[in-house]
Amino acid sequence: MYDVAIVGCGVIGAATAYALARYDAKVVVLEAENDVATGTTKANSAILHAGYDPKPGTKMARLNVEGVALAAEICEALDVPRKACGSLVVAFTEAELPTLQTLLAQGQASGVPGLQLLGGAEARALEPNLSAEAVGALYAPTAAIVSPWDYALAMAEVAVKNGVTLCRNTRVTGIEKTVAGWALETTGGAVSARYIVNAAGLGAEALHNLVAPHRFTTQPNRGEYDLLDKSEGARVNHVVFQCPTAAGKGVLVAPTVHGNCIVGPTAEPVAGEDTATTAAGITALEAAAKKSIPSVNLRATIRSFAGVRANTDDPDFIIETAVPGFIDLAGIRSPGLSAAPAIGLEAVRLLQENGFAAPKKAYFDNTRRVTRFAALPPAEKAALAAKKPAYGRVICRCETVTEGEILDAIHTPIPPVSVDGVKRRTGAGMGRCQGGFCGPRVLELLAKESGLPPEKIPQDKAGSNILLGQTKQGKGE
Amino acid sequence: MTDYQLIVVGGGPAGLAAAIAAWEEGLTKILVVERDRDLGGILNQCIHNGFGLHHFGEELTGPEYAGRFVQKLAETGVSVLTDAMVLEVTPEKQVRLVSREMGYQELTAQAVVLAMGCRERTRGAIGTPGTRPAGVFTAGAAQRYVNIEGQMPGKRVVILGSGDIGLIMARRMTLEGAKVLACVELMPYSGGLTRNIVQCLQDYDIPLYLSHTITEIRGKNRLSGVTVAQVGPDRAPIPGTEQDFACDTLLLSVGLVPENELTRAAGIPIDPHTNGAVVYENRETECPGIFACGNVLQVHDLVDYVTAESELAGRAAAAYLAGGCPADDEPYIAVDAGAAIGYTVPQRIRPGKIDKSAELFFRVRAPMKKSRILVTSGGVQLAAYPRERLAPGEMERIQLPKSLLQKAMGSITVSAEEVAE
Ligand SMILES: Cc1cc2nc3c(=O)[nH]c(=O)nc-3n(C[C@H](O)[C@H](O)[C@H](O)COP(=O)(O)OP(=O)(O)OC[C@H]3O[C@@H](n4cnc5c(N)ncnc54)[C@H](O)[C@@H]3O)c2cc1C
Ligand SMILES: Cc1cc2nc3c(=O)[nH]c(=O)nc-3n(C[C@H](O)[C@H](O)[C@H](O)COP(=O)(O)OP(=O)(O)OC[C@H]3O[C@@H](n4cnc5c(N)ncnc54)[C@H](O)[C@@H]3O)c2cc1C
């Protein structure tokens, strides 16, 4: 019997596990897929928003501001790539200037530090490739960019290191109330727990409805992106937003922590977790991005992708006790990534309201180190490759990821089981050739280290097999 | 004192030929650095016949062709470092590399030959909408799985792009028991060699859909199908012409991109049309003593031409050292790609540095019937070369005699025009 079962291991489930790992309690995270952060957490704008967007007084506003302050500490402690590059919300007409005023006022009311209104020329001085049409901008120095999947992974890994159990390939399919708490039926067998935290993202409504009366309706909304080659990586230095409208925050152009440039998202209602890209989306992005940054080169796209927002009919995050012992962390759309660690702490408070009384542990190991060969200065490269020859073999030539780093990843507390799992942990395959060269080698390493035959190694989720058998020669015919 | 007279980056056919030529010209301290475990480059996975007709006068497989050069190299005193990746080349010809065996090294050389080959364009670069399942491969990656690892990437296959690698893989997958449903080409003509269209598609009844493209990729985890549509003259899909193919594999053969990250980082100017370095007649880049040859300079369709070009570069590197590593101040003639011509290599010719003639390589932008190739300077025609036909998939070459170049005024323009039959 677990004290707490967290359902879902996106950034919200991971942040909750990270918060709970400090307590002397038995905690399990149940994740439907074969890895952490394969849902919305891996496909978003990757911005730690400064916090001027949400209406002051909402949970969104408070948790956003608290969350990004915590994110700075967590990324530092857990070696997560994060860069405080600042953001600009740009007005292109006089008519949009009052929107900037509104955002400034909201930000000030919510306690966002350092906000500043700029004229068009001042904005262009900060961001030289900004359109000549820009007439003003709201500058937020605290906005940052992050590697979203690495962020979630880091918190989950440290939680596991401190005793939390993570069960992958474990989809919760039924929940029954018991005397002591809950009995969960999962694709990985039966689990029982005193408390449940619902962090199931797009699956949160279905999970809620298993135990409580209908409370909210999910309105999935897809956002498409283009990720551009590093040759476009210096096109912008800040996150460049357009003025938000009723449809959302609009299309941004931003650097990524990996040195690329990202353009997106679109906004379009979809039926479910539909992450397909569309011809219309790809076309729309080009026009929208060029409005902000006319020189951005969309032909340098190395990957198009889409993520689905877990919007609901409630304009705020749904962070509350659904029924005693069952806590919803639902409707966590943007700024969910930004707010995540604050949402994790909020979950602990709600659990305590529900009777969770475990004391804090005497010792919590809040460390994580990742070797990133490419980023090291020459002398350290030399020392590392001398010490461990595997750091001398480059597997991903576009991103200069070595065999040593891939082996490191395979031996972390949450080892990757797929080629994309290795990519999320090391960056191998993220570059301009998109795994064309290194994919087969990563697959080979995964097969060797796991003892599985190559055709059992998936690209990403279960069922995404890369190889469908052996050649005639391979079979010895 | 430098560590080496010459460092060659890349041990494919280009790097091998350059190193051997430099050795034969008398250089004695040469190092070839290769990222892979074996020398030979992309040829190691090209197990089909068709290499070496020009160079050896016989048809070899890729590994056989490479093997002859590897053998020849072994008979020289050239040093080889495999499983070693060059991370950086500086204009001062410092070469930074890392390898399992030797760790991280900073080596110096008097001359450098860049021979890194090219990589394939991917799905992201062509922006095909849809889901992102497993089962979408570049043709070369699939070729590696089949020919090197003995693994089958799929059973029901559609191929996008009719470049040579796609055509070769259509045949290969068929021979391995897969069903190749279609080869889909955006342009109204194929980008591959005619012999490959005949031997790899027609001989196996694989339909070639010209002026078609893939408009959607479907499948949640593994590919389940693609939609193919006809395109108009603007290359945009024509609504109503869509047809669906149920398939588990999509191979992309949509072009090669020279692998010039090292070149760019060294600050060497790149020609936007070739995506390779701007070079002189001897394949020297704008950085004196740094040369480029093979697919890293221009995408070749025949390895024989790669060899010839690389021998030129290797000899030039030796001559550069023999000449005391001169700074570059010789006057040159700029070569411009004129009407109907996509690019030329070299882009610059120094008449003072050539013997009898310079060879010029180029591709036309679109297929042409009976044509002539014109060389002009300042509006004056200097030479004309007749051709029965021209195609973008087949690299063309002409000889420019020294006497002709001496008549040129600052620059020459190469163009092509069709003539009445
Ligand atoms: C287009 C877009 C752009 C965004 N941009 C930003 C941004 O720039 N900044 C920002 O702060 N936020 C942004 N967001 C929001 C942010 O991405 C999300 O708020 C955050 O990722 C939500 O995390 P999550 O853990 O709730 O959901 P998810 O990451 O989707 O995780 C939910 C997990 O639950 C699992 N699950 C579901 N059902 C079950 C079940 N029954 N049993 C077991 N497991 C289950 C799923 O497999 C999944 O792994 C953006 C979102 C989108 C879509
Ligand atoms: C599928 C296919 C079919 C073909 N069919 C034919 C045919 O039928 N007939 C024919 O004549 N030609 C054919 N070719 C063309 C021929 O193979 C190529 O033109 C030739 O291989 C190019 O030689 P290269 O040395 O320039 O490049 P490559 O062969 O690509 O070699 C480049 C080498 O450089 C290495 N390298 C790159 N970067 C670094 C670095 N930073 N550090 C160390 N090493 C590095 C690479 O690992 C590689 O080994 C075919 C090519 C392909 C891909």
Side-chain angles (χ1 to χ4, degrees):
Chain A
M1 175 106 182
Y2 288 100
D3 293 309
V4 184
I6 301 165
V7 184
C9 203
V11 72
I12 301 303
T16 305
Y18 178 65
L20 278 172
R22 293 169 192 263
Y23 292 84
D24 199 0
K26 279 188 74 188
V27 178
V28 66
V29 188
L30 308 172
E31 168 53 53
E33 303 296 344
N34 63 5
D35 202 0
V36 169
T38 64
T40 302
T41 296
K42 80 159 184 206
N44 53 62
S45 307
I47 314 296
L48 297 171
H49 293 288
Y52 47 74
D53 279 300
K55 291 264 168 304
T58 58
K59 289 183 190 130
M60 265 186 191
R62 174 171 64 84
L63 297 170
N64 181 343
V65 176
E66 287 175 19
V68 289
L70 291 167
E73 293 165 30
I74 296 172
C75 292
E76 179 70 36
L78 307 190
D79 206 357
V80 176
R82 170 186 171 275
K83 193 173 165 214
C85 57
S87 69
L88 294 167
V89 182
V90 180
F92 294 95
T93 60
E94 299 290 327
E96 284 180 336
L97 287 174
T99 308
L100 300 185
Q101 292 285 356
T102 308
L103 293 175
L104 173 67
Q106 290 188 172
Q108 284 168 341
S110 299
V112 179
L115 292 176
Q116 216 183 320
L117 283 176
L118 307 178
E122 287 172 297
R124 275 185 294 276
L126 276 185
E127 198 57 83
N129 288 322
L130 187 62
S131 162
E133 310 278 301
V135 295
L138 175 66
Y139 174 54
T142 56
I145 51 179
V146 72
S147 165
W149 51 85
D150 210 17
Y151 187 34
L153 252 165
M155 290 191 281
E157 278 179 15
V158 170
V160 169
K161 213 159 76 165
N162 286 280
V164 169
T165 306
L166 170 69
C167 301
R168 293 185 265 178
N169 297 309
T170 306
R171 179 180 295 279
V172 176
T173 51
I175 304 177
E176 293 290 337
K177 187 87 191 92
T178 62
V179 186
W182 304 98
L184 296 97
E185 178 189 288
T186 83
T187 51
V191 175
S192 58
R194 285 196 177 79
Y195 304 96
I196 292 177
V197 177
N198 174 8
L202 287 160
E205 181 188 345
L207 205 72
H208 168 99
N209 291 346
L210 290 175
V211 301
H214 180 80
R215 150 75 170 86
F216 58 92
T217 304
T218 311
Q219 298 160 342
N221 188 287
R222 174 169 61 196
E224 297 184 38
Y225 292 92
D226 282 338
L227 184 72
L228 312 186
D229 186 77
K230 288 187 173 165
S231 58
E232 289 291 303
R235 187 66 65 188
V236 292
N237 316 309
H238 303 79
V239 179
V240 180
F241 294 103
Q242 298 169 356
C243 277
T245 63
K249 293 194 197 75
V251 168
L252 59 83
V253 180
T256 74
V257 288
H258 305 105
N260 300 79
C261 175
I262 189 170
V263 169
T266 57
E268 180 198 357
V270 284
E273 203 175 342
D274 179 354
T275 57
T277 57
T278 64
I282 291 169
T283 313
L285 280 182
E286 167 125 36
K290 293 213 142 124
K291 181 179 169 192
S292 299
I293 308 291
S295 58
V296 68
N297 175 16
L298 275 289
R299 276 185 321 205
T301 300
I302 59 173
R303 189 171 177 87
S304 301
F305 64 92
V308 179
R309 302 170 180 90
N311 292 359
T312 68
D313 51 356
D314 188 328
D316 206 350
F317 290 154
I318 298 163
I319 299 178
E320 61 196 26
T321 301
V323 290
F326 186 103
I327 287 154
D328 278 329
L329 308 177
I332 312 293
R333 67 279 222 174
S334 188
L337 182 71
S338 316
I343 294 176
L345 294 180
E346 196 74 0
V348 176
R349 270 194 289 278
L350 286 168
L351 284 168
Q352 286 165 338
E353 275 178 29
N354 278 269
F356 174 79
K360 279 209 173 173
K361 286 178 191 156
Y363 176 70
F364 177 71
D365 178 359
N366 193 31
T367 61
R368 175 178 178 265
R369 277 282 156 261
V370 181
T371 301
R372 296 186 182 88
F373 184 82
L376 296 176
E380 286 180 45
K381 281 194 173 103
L384 197 62
K387 202 170 82 196
K388 210 169 144 190
Y391 289 112
R393 175 179 280 156
V394 176
I395 301 288
C396 167
R397 68 152 83 159
C398 301
E399 303 290 306
T400 320
V401 180
T402 64
E403 184 175 298
E405 291 160 89
I406 294 173
L407 293 174
D408 286 349
I410 294 179
H411 295 101
T412 51
I414 307 176
V417 297
S418 65
V419 171
D420 284 359
V422 170
K423 167 165 127 183
R424 283 190 286 274
R425 285 160 180 83
T426 65
M430 272 201 12
R432 44 180 70 94
C433 93
Q434 288 287 297
F437 280 108
C438 67
R441 288 162 175 220
V442 170
L443 187 145
E444 190 184 317
L445 282 170
L446 277 169
K448 197 168 125 215
E449 296 290 313
S450 65
L452 290 170
E455 57 270 26
K456 287 272 189 288
I457 305 294
Q459 179 72 44
D460 191 10
K461 294 184 184 179
S464 63
N465 293 45
I466 299 169
L467 300 171
L468 300 185
Q470 298 193 318
T471 59
K472 292 176 179 173
Q473 235 176 351
K475 287 193 206 101
E477 275 171 28
Chain B
M1 261 307 276
T2 55
D3 297 308
Y4 290 92
Q5 290 174 308
L6 171 65
I7 294 180
V8 178
V9 186
L16 294 172
I20 292 168
W23 173 266
E24 286 172 349
E25 291 294 313
L27 297 195
T28 52
K29 289 197 73 180
I30 305 175
L31 174 69
V32 176
V33 187
E34 168 56 47
R35 200 183 56 94
D36 238 300
R37 282 165 242 189
D38 302 302
L39 293 171
I42 199 79
L43 288 185
N44 289 334
Q45 63 182 56
C46 303
I47 60 170
H48 55 281
N49 261 318
F51 298 83
L53 267 176
H54 296 258
H55 192 80
F56 291 113
E58 57 182 310
E59 278 208 61
L60 304 173
T61 66
E64 281 167 356
Y65 187 93
R68 294 208 178 175
F69 286 88
V70 175
Q71 176 65 38
K72 209 162 159 197
L73 190 80
E75 291 158 13
T76 68
V78 173
S79 309
V80 173
L81 190 58
T82 56
D83 214 352
M85 167 119 175
V86 173
L87 302 176
E88 203 181 340
V89 175
T90 71
E92 297 73 38
K93 297 181 273 292
Q94 198 182 55
V95 177
R96 305 192 173 129
L97 61 90
V98 64
S99 76
R100 233 191 119 92
E101 211 180 310
M102 314 262 296
Y104 182 83
Q105 304 266 318
E106 289 184 349
L107 303 174
T108 53
Q110 284 165 277
V112 171
V113 171
L114 302 173
M116 290 88 73
C118 53
R119 65 167 179 272
E120 296 175 276
R121 287 177 78 213
T122 64
R123 174 178 175 189
I126 53 171
T128 308
T131 57
R132 289 167 302 288
V136 181
F137 300 87
T138 59
Q143 186 181 45
R144 185 185 155 98
Y145 274 125
V146 174
N147 292 347
I148 307 238
E149 325 265 348
Q151 300 284 352
M152 278 299 274
K155 300 277 161 74
R156 283 177 67 82
V157 185
V158 170
I159 296 176
L160 177 60
S162 62
D164 288 312
I165 316 178
L167 299 175
I168 299 274
M169 282 310 289
R171 176 173 65 187
R172 189 85 199 105
M173 293 298 281
T174 307
L175 291 174
E176 287 293 347
K179 174 82 189 152
V180 179
L181 303 167
C183 179
V184 179
E185 168 60 56
L186 181 68
M187 304 302 286
Y189 50 86
S190 161
L193 297 171
T194 311
R195 72 166 195 227
N196 283 337
I197 306 236
V198 175
Q199 294 170 8
C200 300
L201 295 184
Q202 290 171 6
D203 288 358
Y204 298 90
D205 292 328
I206 298 169
L208 172 61
Y209 293 88
L210 295 173
S211 297
H212 278 68
T213 192
I214 292 182
T215 55
E216 194 191 355
I217 291 175
R218 285 186 301 277
K220 193 164 179 317
N221 290 315
R222 177 81 194 193
L223 183 69
S224 63
V226 297
T227 303
V228 172
Q230 198 180 335
V231 298
D234 58 352
R235 294 184 220 164
I238 303 172
T241 63
E242 296 87 359
Q243 51 185 77
D244 288 349
F245 287 89
C247 57
D248 56 32
T249 305
L250 173 62
L251 300 189
L252 302 175
S253 176
V254 290
L256 299 170
V257 189
E259 188 88 51
N260 273 303
E261 280 63 43
L262 295 177
T263 322
R264 280 200 184 85
I268 293 171
I270 301 283
D271 177 344
H273 303 293
T274 55
N275 285 312
V278 172
V279 289
Y280 293 95
E281 69 298 324
N282 61 354
R283 303 304 184 265
E284 190 169 11
T285 67
E286 265 196 55
C287 186
I290 300 187
F291 301 79
C293 55
N295 276 357
V296 79
L297 183 60
Q298 56 174 331
V299 175
H300 289 258
D301 22 63
L302 289 180
V303 70
D304 309 69
Y305 293 164
V306 170
T307 301
E309 174 170 280
S310 307
E311 286 171 347
L312 178 64
R315 284 196 299 270
Y320 170 79
L321 262 71
C325 306
D328 179 53
D329 46 15
E330 188 123 359
Y332 67 84
I333 292 166
V335 186
D336 296 327
I341 305 292
Y343 72 82
T344 72
V345 168
Q347 293 84 348
R348 298 175 171 188
I349 301 176
R350 294 170 290 204
K353 289 227 170 186
I354 58 176
D355 245 0
K356 293 196 197 77
S357 66
E359 196 168 27
L360 194 73
F361 292 86
F362 57 90
R363 285 180 196 268
V364 290
R365 291 179 188 277
M368 299 173 75
K369 298 199 187 79
K370 196 175 165 97
S371 302
R372 48 185 203 149
I373 297 157
L374 299 176
V375 178
T376 59
S377 181
V380 181
Q381 181 178 321
L382 301 182
Y385 304 76
R387 287 291 185 274
E388 280 312 302
R389 51 180 280 281
L390 293 165
E394 308 200 5
M395 190 191 277
E396 282 296 327
R397 46 180 188 162
I398 53 175
Q399 296 290 341
L400 299 173
K402 189 165 184 166
S403 55
L404 178 152
L405 290 165
Q406 279 159 345
K407 281 184 239 152
M409 297 176 307
S411 70
I412 57 173
T413 301
V414 182
S415 61
E417 59 181 31
E418 287 188 338
V419 295
E421 296 275 340

